[in-house]
Amino acid sequence: MTDEPPLRRRAARRAGDESPTSPEADGPSTGSPDGPAAPEPRTAGPAPTLLTAPRDGTPQPVESPDDLADVVARFAGGTGPVAIDAERASGYRYSQRAYLVQLRRGGSGTVLIDPLPLGDLRTLDAAIADAEWVLHAASQDLPCLSDLGLRPRRLFDTELAGRLAGFERVGLAALTEQLLGFALEKHHSAADWSSRPLPESWLTYAALDVELLVDLRDALAAELITQGKQDWAAEEFAALVAWGAQPARSRPDPWRRTSGIHRIRGARAQARVRALWYARDDIAARRDSAPGRVLPDSAIVAAAEIDPKDERTLLSLPGFGGRSVRRLARNWLDALDTARGLPDDALPTNPPIDGPPPPHRWAERDPVAAGRLSRSREVVTTTAAAHKLPPENLIAPDSIRRLAWTPPEDVTPETVSSTLRGYGARAWQVGLIATDLATALADPDPKPGPEPG
């Protein structure tokens, strides 16, 4: 670990940029009457510096309990936030576990941990429990970190902060380049991190993912303060912590998410999709292989449409030409036989709709509700634009649909606020839109009642 100035400050000097991104910036700005000012792009200057190696060199992965104990001691003695990232093997493995965990902290340096031989990282969790954890797109990594016993009590999500601050591009490389003046290569983002040994270039890439996270956190925190959005971010981060502490929920009927299933017509054909999906899932789980590498979704849909009854017909369909898929032909034909033999009362039925129908059906089913939805969406769009926010970060689209389809019996700002909170909306979101939504939900042209006799 060096004592040189943070990279963020060095980058600002190199670019000749004195923009207010330091955490020592003055208090929140009230902004213009139209809402907070959008973040200004980095001023023109030298091209961003390509970061090719960590400042302290590329560490080798920690693999033994003794080395982990040393890491725990180092990070317990560190200061400030802890930058954390995890690498999975999505697209290669059935499991969504972490195959590498990267951390960096002031006074502790950067470490890479191979969790495979270690089991869990609860001792590390205890050592950094009181620190703020800095992650990028935290919702992607929290589940696999939780499986290792790593659960933040406080966090800062740099991707979410970028969204709240109004940046159009919120990927780690884009934010790092715009705010810190450094370019990051993303060549290995889709690599098979379950492979061993990990190449040196991959380890360097992994270390660089946490190299600048704390500096980026500081720059974004300053931007949020400038725009008066720091309290909004705090609520969002607290909601992420609470979400990450909950046990994972299994989706009902996961086979219904098969890509292309909209082409399937009829319960019997849906049964074929279901049978093939579960046959593939069993094989993928046993092999610890991504399901799509066992059999692509397109092949499941093609077989469900045609219902082949022999191997020759099956193997002529798109997606069944690969050697490994052909070797499993009997499995696929058995699954189709099972679906074919189901009694009618065992076929899939449409699940009950939890919530309103698809919006494109509203005008036909309930024109009044369709009008409420249109007006409510306009409120969200206008308010989001005024505050330089993506509409989906201002309020979840599903909450607006539910509210418009079944508004409170007595529509007031208070009842709308209560309903939105029941859907999980945060206080800052409710405060921005509840009053205008109450107006939008009211019938703009109520039918006159009977004249008094």
Side-chain angles (χ1 to χ4, degrees):
M1 180 70 183
T2 70
D3 294 325
E4 62 185 341
L7 292 176
R8 173 179 51 76
R9 298 195 184 104
R10 287 182 286 147
R13 287 200 299 269
R14 186 160 32 243
D17 180 8
E18 301 298 331
S19 59
T21 56
S22 132
E24 294 80 22
D26 292 336
S29 167
T30 57
S32 71
D34 295 327
E40 295 182 2
R42 199 166 62 89
T43 56
T49 302
L50 179 62
L51 204 60
T52 58
R55 66 188 89 175
D56 303 323
T58 299
Q60 292 303 301
V62 171
E63 300 175 339
S64 72
D66 288 344
D67 288 343
L68 178 61
D70 290 341
V71 167
V72 169
R74 282 168 54 190
F75 274 75
T79 58
V82 179
I84 300 183
D85 190 27
E87 304 295 347
R88 299 180 302 280
S90 301
Y92 295 92
R93 295 291 182 175
Y94 183 85
S95 167
Q96 289 300 305
R97 66 172 300 166
Y99 287 94
L100 191 72
V101 177
Q102 308 101 278
L103 303 97
R104 182 175 179 84
R105 189 179 195 186
S108 307
T110 296
V111 299
L112 307 179
I113 299 177
D114 182 352
L116 297 184
L118 295 172
D120 68 65
L121 303 177
R122 287 178 292 180
T123 54
L124 178 60
D125 178 78
I128 58 176
D130 294 335
E132 178 188 76
W133 297 14
V134 183
L135 299 95
H136 188 82
S139 61
Q140 296 181 19
D141 289 339
L142 287 178
C144 68
L145 292 174
S146 179
D147 289 344
L148 296 172
L150 294 171
R151 299 179 180 90
R153 286 70 169 175
R154 293 183 294 130
L155 68 76
F156 189 105
D157 185 333
T158 50
E159 184 203 44
L160 182 51
R163 290 180 180 277
L164 295 176
F167 288 94
E168 291 185 6
R169 298 167 60 227
V170 294
L172 178 60
L175 287 173
T176 299
E177 181 174 329
Q178 183 164 348
L179 289 173
L180 306 181
F182 283 91
L184 294 175
E185 293 183 336
K186 304 302 290 182
H187 294 325
H188 305 303
S189 59
D192 180 5
W193 289 91
S194 68
S195 61
R196 293 294 184 272
L198 291 170
E200 186 75 12
S201 61
W202 294 19
L203 298 177
T204 296
Y205 163 90
L208 288 175
D209 266 359
V210 293
E211 177 82 2
L212 301 175
L213 264 185
V214 173
D215 287 319
L216 183 59
R217 174 245 182 263
D218 291 345
L220 286 165
E223 187 65 55
L224 290 170
I225 290 173
T226 298
Q227 296 185 31
K229 297 177 179 177
Q230 68 274 21
D231 291 340
W232 302 359
E235 287 189 51
E236 292 300 304
F237 299 157
L240 266 176
V241 170
W243 173 81
Q246 297 174 358
R249 298 179 181 179
S250 58
R251 288 192 177 100
D253 292 343
W255 59 272
R256 294 185 183 275
R257 298 173 63 85
T258 303
S259 179
I261 196 172
H262 62 278
R263 291 162 37 193
I264 300 302
R265 295 290 181 266
R268 185 71 60 179
Q270 287 189 347
R272 293 193 285 270
V273 172
R274 181 177 64 183
L276 288 167
W277 192 96
Y278 280 109
R280 179 185 69 174
D281 197 65
D282 288 343
I283 295 169
R286 290 199 306 270
R287 294 180 173 181
D288 190 17
S289 179
R293 297 175 75 86
V294 175
L295 185 70
D297 281 7
S298 59
I300 290 179
V301 171
E305 287 181 310
I306 301 300
D307 189 21
K309 299 174 179 61
D310 58 76
E311 185 171 324
R312 180 177 179 181
T313 305
L314 175 75
L315 297 183
S316 69
L317 297 177
F320 286 91
R323 181 182 304 173
S324 61
V325 175
R326 292 199 304 270
R327 284 201 300 262
L328 295 168
R330 189 66 259 167
N331 298 72
W332 315 132
L333 290 171
D334 287 347
L336 292 168
D337 287 344
T338 299
R340 204 175 295 119
L342 289 175
D344 289 346
D345 60 4
L347 297 177
T349 57
N350 290 329
I353 296 177
D354 177 23
H360 67 270
R361 298 182 181 173
W362 285 36
E364 177 184 349
R365 293 186 56 176
D366 190 338
V368 175
R372 289 194 298 263
L373 178 63
S374 178
R375 296 191 298 273
S376 297
R377 283 174 163 174
E378 181 62 26
V379 167
V380 172
T381 301
T382 302
T383 306
H387 292 278
K388 313 301 189 293
L389 292 167
E392 63 273 16
N393 287 108
L394 173 59
I395 192 71
D398 182 65
S399 297
I400 294 299
R401 289 193 293 268
R402 290 174 181 269
L403 181 67
W405 186 254
T406 311
E409 185 173 342
D410 180 24
V411 176
T412 67
E414 292 73 25
T415 60
V416 170
S417 296
S418 178
T419 301
L420 290 175
R421 285 194 296 269
Y423 295 149
R426 264 70 75 188
W428 73 270
Q429 297 170 317
V430 172
L432 286 180
I433 61 174
T435 298
D436 289 341
L437 282 177
T439 301
L441 292 170
D443 190 342
D445 186 23
K447 294 183 176 61
E451 295 183 5

